[in-house]
Amino acid sequence: MENQNSAKEEVDELPLPPPVVPSNVAPIKVQNDIPSSEPLKKKRVPMSRPGFARKGQPISLLTNHFKVSTRNVDDFFFHYSVNLKYEDDRPVDGKGIGRKVVDKMQQTYDTELGKKGLAYDGEKTLFTIGPLPQIKNEFTVILDDMPSKRNGSPGGNDSPGEGERKRARRSYNAKTIKVELSFAAKIPMQSIALALKGQETENTQEALRVLDIILRQHAAKQGCLLVRQSFFHDKPSNYTDLGGGVMGCRGFHSSFRPVQGGLSLNIDVSTTMIVRPGPVVDFLIANQNVRDPFQIDWAKGKRMLKNLRVKVGNLEYKIVGLSDLPCDQQMFTLRQKGDGDNAMEITVHEYFVRHRGIPLSYSGGLPCINVGKPKRPTYFPIELCNLVSLQRYTKALTVIQRSALVEKSRQKPQERMSSLNNALKYSNYDADPMLKACGISINTNFTQVDGRVLQAPKLKVGNGEDFLPRNGRWNFNNKKLMAPTKVERWAVVNFSARCDINNLIRDLIKCGNMKGVLVEQPFDVFEESPSMRRAPPPTRVDDMFEQIRTKLPGVPKFLLCLLSERKNSDVYGPWKRKCLAEFGIVTQCIAPIRVNDQYLTNVLLKINAKLGGLNSQLQIENTPAIPIISRAATIILGMDVSHGSPGRSDVPSIAAVVSSRQWPLISKYRASVRTQSSKVEMIDSLFKPTAEDDDGIIRELLIDFYTSSGKRKPDQIIIFRDGVSESQFNQVLNIELDKIIEACKFLDEQWSPKLTLMIAQKNHHTKFFQSGGSPDNVPPGTVVDKQVCHPKNYDFYMCSHAGMIGTSRPTHYHVLLDENGFSPDDLQELVHSLSYVYQRSTTAISVVAPICYAHLAAAQVGQFMKFEDKSETSSSQGGMTAAGAAPVPELPRLHENVRSSMFFC
């Protein structure tokens, strides 16, 4: 490892040549027979499956994979690059045009194309089965009905009516487009069959991509909205209102996957957000939650409408903006046909009412919709414009919209199975000529798979009591916490929440006593001054801290903070920053709406964990019964990166890594959090060498492990990484893992801990159902590592939680590296156990606790940035630069008093 690293450094930093070559030295001739591109370092690739696990009660399951049979086709996919140009060589751009052009080309030149089926991705890529007959494939296509926006719009000197006539004339006069198809590559279909035998070649992914493009094309021909491999039909029965002019649209995901049982088609229910179709004014009223059009904030409206498509009469346009003046004041020059220079200035409103005879009831005082070019606007009164259906809404959802989406898109297992059966029938893939030509036919039955149900681990709670969870759940009724702490030197802070604080304190003390947590009387209750309620959030927090400083004898150990809103309080971020970064005070925020015993117990679980206590732990943690942990000092890492809302490139991404401490415990963790360039998934601050130190995350965590685990360095490092797709596995395996190794070597050159790296994915489309028509979800502890797993790589699905609502989503774990040589049974047991050590709840969770904690830490520390001056901290002006283009604002480091606490709990 050491030599490889030094070799890498040599490549990165070549020494300068000597100023003069001595006369007695003959230059050595470079040997050209060594390829220069050969890597000096062997790239790691995901490991192969070492075998199958056996532990657990067998269970028969169904899954939403449908078996695909392929006739052994010895043919090749031919890949062609598509270039579309107008007659004047301008490139053709704009959504949806490519498909129209290629469809027309296929109709017009069927013979020249050898009567071949075409698989086109709608952009620059086209595939055929076997080669096209001609060497030079250039065609001229005449398109009768081009979408209006792309033809160039009539300008501000034309009337809207004149423009519309021009549009219509141009539309029916047609447009000539040149299509060039250039050969790019040849992909053997055989590579799919080889992949199913576990012999992947470089062509496998490309061949499967062709099949997925055929599915997309099939959906496009049915008029669907395409979002990657998910397809949405324009059927009102698929729509559900989320409020704010946004609708959820239910569709389905469909993709081919190579699995142990052969090739399968994975179909799942999918939901996307769309803009509510219909009158533009209705959408804006709903979006801004106002009563009538005259209350609309038009600057906000303009941003929301830009690039959306509207229909006026039978023609479709793309919105570029709004007029500066209302419709009854916005002038333009009307040139009368045949009158030579006879031009008159007229308002848009007067033109439509008097010259076109279209009555307008409310547009007069409102801006017009502009669908023209930047220097040649074309205006329509707003009431004539209707938003086209199936347009994606890509802005961030509000908390209320998100919960409405979750609630309305969840389905019970049986309901989901029925939806999937309908989706498969409705798709009618067997009729697709390209799939037929590939020799593909799809079975219409859910695939049967063998699963196993692992036994829940025993837990230890207070007074040495053992406890066996049932159905993935337990509670603390009549039980004490495992290691309760003392809540002392504390105070209550109230940011204008309506609540009987004395009762709340009394009940918290009483509940604490029942759970073994000694809650002393608070020093004081600090009420926010009514005059501060409308002040900026950071000012409100500063004012509150001023009160605390003047009235308390010293810095408190703990602050209970009452907020008036759940989930979206503006005070939350600045408050956490002040407490954790500046003063090192443990804090718990609550919005006390319905306070009962269960609520207070949950609050106490969080407070106890944050103050260093332990609510419950695995019975086997302090015994040698988890052999893979107890046989050698082991640190467990959970890694995650959280990104800002879609479309916000000015908000940095936040990387969080949590690590276990106090080995052999696997229930206690701490976190390290850093910012990085927006939307960058690889964590770039794992190893950050300075002149003679390392300021990276891993060093910080390793030193904490060493000091908290009796001065032992870990011999084993087990890493759980969240949020990466299969296409990024090699980067994690080579870039991130190298940084972790370098951080270890920086601490001690001779130290080589053994590494195990696993990826956890929740964002996939495989679901499991109980066979025999059971209405319930699969039981907690269900694990599947056969039939629908990868033909060669080491992966498994685990459903460790009890799915109480909707259909359970298993976590897909991929083991990319295992230098520790753990058996499949041991690894699955560890993953299952780590779902039971989450201190915030009394349920098994759906993914290992370290990953959940990393997610929580990133989200909480991310709130620190919320009210910073964007002009100083943003990674771009206006949020338009590429990711990583500008310096990223650094997060404040946590105060040493709370740095190693579970502040994120």
Side-chain angles (χ1 to χ4, degrees):
M1 208 62 249
E2 189 185 327
N3 296 341
Q4 288 174 343
N5 282 343
S6 56
K8 183 172 183 287
E9 280 162 25
E10 281 167 30
V11 175
D12 289 347
E13 296 177 32
L14 289 171
L16 292 169
V20 180
V21 178
S23 56
N24 61 340
V25 174
I28 298 169
K29 197 175 175 186
V30 173
Q31 298 291 312
N32 287 328
D33 53 348
I34 302 170
S36 59
S37 62
E38 188 171 287
L40 292 172
K41 185 171 181 183
K42 196 177 174 202
K43 283 259 188 278
R44 299 184 193 91
V45 293
M47 69 180 287
S48 300
R49 184 185 301 281
F52 296 97
R54 292 189 172 79
K55 280 187 183 172
Q57 189 71 32
I59 184 172
S60 182
L61 304 167
L62 296 172
T63 181
N64 58 338
H65 284 240
F66 298 86
K67 279 193 173 150
V68 175
S69 49
T70 48
R71 286 202 308 279
N72 194 10
V73 184
D74 290 329
D75 222 325
F76 289 82
F77 290 122
F78 277 68
H79 173 187
Y80 293 89
S81 294
V82 181
N83 189 13
L84 306 179
K85 292 188 288 194
Y86 291 115
E87 288 172 292
D88 59 3
D89 281 348
R90 275 183 309 124
V92 174
D93 58 353
K95 258 190 173 153
I97 296 187
R99 289 197 190 276
K100 288 185 179 177
V101 173
V102 168
D103 284 350
K104 191 69 193 280
M105 176 186 77
Q106 199 167 4
Q107 290 164 25
T108 316
Y109 297 101
D110 193 33
T111 312
E112 288 85 341
L113 293 164
K115 298 192 178 302
K116 282 194 178 295
L118 309 177
Y120 176 51
D121 74 346
E123 306 271 332
K124 302 271 184 202
T125 306
L126 182 140
F127 293 95
T128 57
I129 296 172
L132 293 173
Q134 301 174 171
I135 303 297
K136 200 173 171 65
N137 288 291
E138 291 184 10
F139 307 98
T140 303
V141 172
I142 295 168
L143 213 57
D144 297 331
D145 187 18
M146 283 288 282
S148 50
K149 175 70 186 87
R150 286 94 189 183
N151 293 336
S153 304
N157 294 330
D158 291 322
S159 73
E162 181 81 0
E164 212 175 340
R165 283 200 297 279
K166 275 191 180 177
R167 258 174 217 290
R169 194 163 62 240
R170 186 184 289 125
S171 159
Y172 295 116
N173 283 354
K175 198 81 181 162
T176 304
I177 293 172
K178 294 190 290 191
V179 184
E180 289 174 16
L181 305 179
S182 359
F183 171 74
K186 183 172 151 183
I187 302 148
M189 287 190 183
Q190 198 69 42
S191 57
I192 297 173
L194 289 171
L196 303 177
K197 293 176 188 161
Q199 303 163 15
E200 278 202 42
T201 65
E202 66 276 11
N203 292 314
T204 303
Q205 287 308 317
E206 203 58 14
L208 288 170
R209 181 171 156 241
V210 180
L211 297 184
D212 283 344
I213 284 171
I214 296 171
L215 294 182
R216 279 173 63 82
Q217 178 172 274
H218 184 84
K221 286 186 171 163
Q222 295 178 335
C224 289
L225 162 67
L226 311 182
V227 183
R228 293 180 292 279
Q229 285 301 126
S230 291
F231 315 129
F232 302 91
H233 289 271
D234 187 11
K235 284 164 64 180
S237 59
N238 291 341
Y239 296 164
T240 173
D241 192 10
L242 305 179
V246 184
M247 306 192 82
C249 178
R250 183 174 284 173
F252 63 93
H253 164 94
S254 185
S255 65
F256 286 103
R257 292 191 67 83
V259 294
Q260 291 157 10
L263 192 64
S264 74
L265 180 70
N266 178 205
I267 296 187
D268 193 20
V269 174
S270 188
T271 306
T272 193
M273 284 77 68
I274 59 167
V275 170
R276 188 161 85 193
V280 169
V281 160
D282 291 357
F283 166 70
L284 288 176
I285 287 172
N287 185 251
Q288 298 189 14
N289 195 20
V290 292
R291 280 198 303 277
D292 58 58
F294 301 98
Q295 295 181 311
I296 290 171
D297 173 341
W298 291 104
K300 203 169 160 190
K302 182 179 177 179
R303 286 196 302 274
M304 188 56 75
L305 293 175
K306 195 169 163 73
N307 294 330
L308 289 178
R309 298 189 316 280
V310 284
K311 243 187 170 162
V312 182
N314 289 324
L315 293 175
E316 201 177 292
Y317 305 89
K318 186 169 167 184
I319 299 176
V320 296
L322 300 174
S323 61
D324 294 332
L325 296 169
C327 185
D328 56 9
Q329 294 173 35
Q330 183 66 53
M331 308 293 284
F332 70 92
T333 308
L334 174 62
R335 289 192 171 84
Q336 300 288 10
K337 209 169 181 188
D339 279 5
D341 291 334
N342 186 8
M344 59 188 275
E345 289 290 311
I346 187 172
T347 67
V348 174
H349 189 272
E350 189 184 354
Y351 169 76
F352 274 90
V353 174
R354 282 183 44 203
H355 290 255
R356 299 286 299 280
I358 299 173
L360 297 175
S361 58
Y362 60 81
S363 292
L366 305 177
C368 305
I369 297 286
N370 178 8
V371 297
K373 285 269 175 87
K375 290 186 180 161
R376 299 186 65 191
T378 302
Y379 296 124
F380 284 109
I382 199 163
E383 70 190 79
L384 301 184
C385 301
N386 286 295
L387 288 163
V388 173
S389 57
L390 288 184
Q391 298 192 77
R392 278 186 83 195
Y393 179 84
T394 53
K395 310 275 189 302
L397 294 181
T398 64
V399 173
I400 295 163
Q401 286 172 331
R402 191 177 291 118
S403 59
L405 177 68
V406 169
E407 195 176 320
K408 291 175 179 176
S409 56
R410 63 168 69 112
Q411 291 176 299
K412 287 192 158 64
Q414 290 299 312
E415 198 186 335
R416 184 169 286 244
M417 286 180 85
S418 146
S419 295
L420 296 177
N421 272 323
N422 293 340
L424 190 57
K425 282 196 192 90
Y426 195 80
S427 302
N428 193 15
Y429 287 132
D430 284 342
D432 188 282
M434 279 297 281
L435 289 176
K436 269 187 184 161
C438 295
I440 277 177
S441 60
I442 296 158
N443 189 320
T444 54
N445 296 322
F446 283 73
T447 300
Q448 193 140 7
V449 295
D450 302 323
R452 292 167 292 110
V453 182
L454 302 180
Q455 190 182 350
K458 268 191 181 165
L459 299 179
K460 224 173 186 36
V461 291
N463 295 338
E465 204 179 326
D466 288 348
F467 189 70
L468 186 62
R470 295 185 55 174
N471 196 29
R473 307 175 80 79
W474 63 98
N475 61 53
F476 280 104
N477 294 348
N478 307 319
K479 293 182 185 66
K480 299 264 195 283
L481 304 187
M482 165 75 196
T485 52
K486 197 172 173 184
V487 181
E488 56 185 354
R489 283 175 48 202
W490 71 288
V492 180
V493 165
N494 183 16
F495 283 102
S496 307
R498 289 185 187 156
C499 155
D500 184 337
I501 295 177
N502 289 331
N503 272 353
L504 177 73
I505 293 167
R506 188 196 65 219
D507 292 346
L508 190 66
I509 291 171
K510 184 175 150 200
C511 186
N513 284 337
M514 288 166 66
K515 303 289 171 269
V517 177
L518 177 61
V519 183
E520 292 187 348
Q521 282 291 336
F523 275 143
D524 208 339
V525 175
F526 297 97
E527 293 280 359
E528 181 173 42
S529 150
S531 62
M532 293 303 297
R533 283 177 200 175
R534 297 195 182 285
T539 311
R540 293 172 68 185
V541 170
D542 288 344
D543 181 73
M544 188 63 85
F545 259 91
E546 204 42 55
Q547 274 199 62
I548 294 169
R549 215 185 324 223
T550 52
K551 290 190 185 170
L552 289 189
V555 177
K557 267 191 173 177
F558 172 69
L559 289 172
L560 182 66
C561 172
L562 311 189
L563 302 173
S564 52
E565 312 99 344
R566 283 185 72 230
K567 302 277 186 193
N568 54 351
S569 169
D570 283 344
V571 172
Y572 182 86
W575 173 257
K576 287 283 183 185
R577 179 179 182 143
K578 199 84 170 168
C579 288
L580 297 174
E582 286 185 41
F583 289 97
I585 302 169
V586 174
T587 177
Q588 175 64 49
C589 294
I590 61 172
I593 297 159
R594 284 188 218 93
V595 177
N596 54 27
D597 259 8
Q598 184 59 58
Y599 178 84
L600 290 172
T601 301
N602 289 342
V603 169
L604 271 169
L605 293 181
K606 297 172 74 165
I607 294 171
N608 191 50
K610 286 177 179 181
L611 288 170
L614 204 52
N615 302 328
S616 62
Q617 66 177 105
L618 302 174
Q619 183 209 26
I620 53 179
E621 271 184 74
N622 274 316
T623 68
I626 309 188
I628 70 174
I629 301 295
S630 56
R631 73 181 183 194
T634 305
I635 186 172
I636 297 173
L637 303 179
M639 300 173 27
D640 186 31
V641 178
S642 100
H643 304 291
S645 310
R648 288 288 306 272
S649 62
D650 59 333
V651 176
S653 291
I654 298 193
V657 184
V658 305
S659 62
S660 60
R661 52 201 312 268
Q662 297 178 19
W663 175 79
L665 290 188
I666 56 171
S667 292
K668 278 205 165 183
Y669 293 84
R670 62 154 296 164
S672 182
V673 186
R674 309 283 170 90
T675 47
Q676 57 187 41
S677 298
S678 180
K679 306 287 183 279
V680 170
E681 185 54 56
M682 290 302 114
I683 301 177
D684 63 11
S685 46
L686 295 170
F687 176 57
K688 291 187 87 169
T690 55
E692 59 262 345
D693 209 351
D694 166 17
D695 189 33
I697 291 175
I698 296 299
R699 175 191 168 91
E700 184 186 323
L701 301 179
L702 288 173
I703 288 174
D704 176 78
F705 179 88
Y706 181 78
T707 53
S708 70
S709 304
K711 302 218 172 342
R712 294 197 62 151
K713 282 186 292 202
D715 301 312
Q716 301 179 146
I717 300 179
I718 300 174
I719 304 156
F720 290 97
R721 176 68 160 94
D722 187 30
V724 287
S725 61
E726 282 160 56
S727 62
Q728 296 167 313
F729 284 2
N730 283 337
Q731 285 175 279
V732 175
L733 204 45
N734 290 287
I735 300 170
E736 288 189 345
L737 210 57
D738 272 355
K739 294 288 177 201
I740 292 171
I741 291 166
E742 284 178 67
C744 293
K745 293 287 180 195
F746 195 93
L747 280 168
D748 178 354
E749 191 61 45
Q750 304 307 311
W751 177 38
S752 297
K754 290 184 174 171
L755 301 158
T756 296
L757 171 63
M758 298 170 74
I759 307 286
Q761 285 180 334
K762 293 281 287 179
N763 199 6
H764 61 82
H765 290 278
T766 297
K767 302 284 189 299
F768 296 109
F769 306 91
Q770 296 209 41
S771 52
S774 163
D776 298 328
N777 271 305
V778 297
T782 298
V783 62
V784 172
D785 60 1
K786 291 183 176 169
Q787 285 119 323
V788 288
C789 290
H790 196 278
K792 173 173 170 254
N793 296 350
Y794 188 8
D795 65 333
F796 59 91
Y797 292 93
M798 184 175 290
C799 211
S800 47
H801 63 299
M804 308 308 283
I805 41 181
T807 304
S808 292
R809 182 196 294 247
T811 300
H812 192 184
Y813 292 97
H814 302 258
V815 187
L816 301 190
L817 177 75
D818 182 23
E819 294 174 346
N820 292 296
F822 300 142
S823 73
D825 272 318
D826 280 349
L827 216 44
Q828 288 175 19
E829 283 277 10
L830 174 68
V831 167
H832 188 223
S833 297
L834 284 170
S835 306
Y836 280 81
V837 300
Y838 189 56
Q839 298 295 306
R840 281 164 49 116
S841 74
T842 54
T843 58
I845 53 173
S846 62
V847 68
V848 290
I851 278 180
C852 265
Y853 289 148
H855 194 73
L856 288 171
Q860 188 172 128
V861 177
Q863 292 284 329
F864 285 13
M865 317 281 294
K866 210 168 174 185
F867 291 94
E868 287 196 352
D869 180 4
K870 284 280 177 282
S871 61
E872 287 173 26
T873 64
S874 75
S875 53
S876 68
Q877 287 301 308
M880 291 305 290
T881 54
V888 178
E890 282 212 13
L891 284 168
R893 297 289 167 92
L894 297 186
H895 192 283
E896 60 184 353
N897 290 358
V898 292
R899 205 170 287 162
S900 57
S901 74
M902 289 177 72
F903 68 87
F904 42 78
C905 243

